[in-house]
Amino acid sequence: MSASQTLPLENETSPAQTDTREPVRMDVIEQIAAMAEGTERSALVWGNTDRATTAAEALWVFARRVGLDGRGDDAFTAVQDLIANLMHLCEQEEITGGEVTFTSLVGIAEIHYLAELDENIKL
């Protein structure tokens, strides 16, 4: 993967190391993911809470698979590792390449996220 396909590092310090808030532990993600249990196979998404729940479910499955599901593990690490693994998948399967970089996918996702936040505010 070329450097242009990765996200630029703005500094050498990880945000997790400088943030003064208590990190979210994976047991919290497990509790959120559990809210999706027993739902229809195709999740009905009515709003941002449903979006967050389906993301927690995916993150929890990933964390269990790679051993980041301990009560002391933090969600920051699991999210970071999942994103890195998604980058590998996108490169390997040529989901990204050429003008379509992982950074561009993240940018489009952010546009969707911001639009969904606006939808929630208008309700």
Side-chain angles (χ1 to χ4, degrees):
M1 178 181 299
S2 71
S4 66
Q5 291 178 298
T6 61
L7 296 173
L9 295 175
E10 294 184 18
N11 59 43
E12 296 296 320
T13 305
S14 167
Q17 295 170 343
T18 59
D19 197 338
T20 58
R21 295 174 294 167
E22 191 68 29
V24 175
R25 295 184 332 264
M26 285 307 297
D27 56 318
V28 173
I29 300 301
E30 179 184 17
Q31 291 170 6
I32 297 168
M35 294 189 306
E37 289 179 15
T39 59
E40 297 176 25
R41 183 174 164 98
S42 297
L44 295 175
V45 177
W46 296 102
N48 293 336
T49 299
D50 296 326
R51 291 178 180 105
T53 300
T54 57
E57 184 179 25
L59 183 61
W60 180 245
V61 168
F62 172 78
R64 284 187 13 230
R65 174 71 62 182
V66 299
L68 291 172
D69 58 339
R71 297 219 176 262
D73 291 318
D74 65 77
F76 180 88
T77 301
V79 169
Q80 185 175 310
D81 284 358
L82 176 57
I83 292 170
N85 286 7
L86 285 170
M87 292 174 84
H88 289 294
L89 173 65
C90 287
E91 177 188 19
Q92 179 177 310
E93 298 304 318
E94 298 180 352
I95 296 167
T96 56
E99 293 182 25
V100 179
T101 64
F102 195 84
T103 303
S104 68
L105 292 178
V106 172
I108 294 167
E110 184 175 23
I111 290 168
H112 288 236
Y113 165 76
L114 293 172
E116 291 160 357
L117 285 180
D118 285 344
E119 288 174 9
N120 229 26
I121 292 171
K122 292 176 187 173
L123 294 177

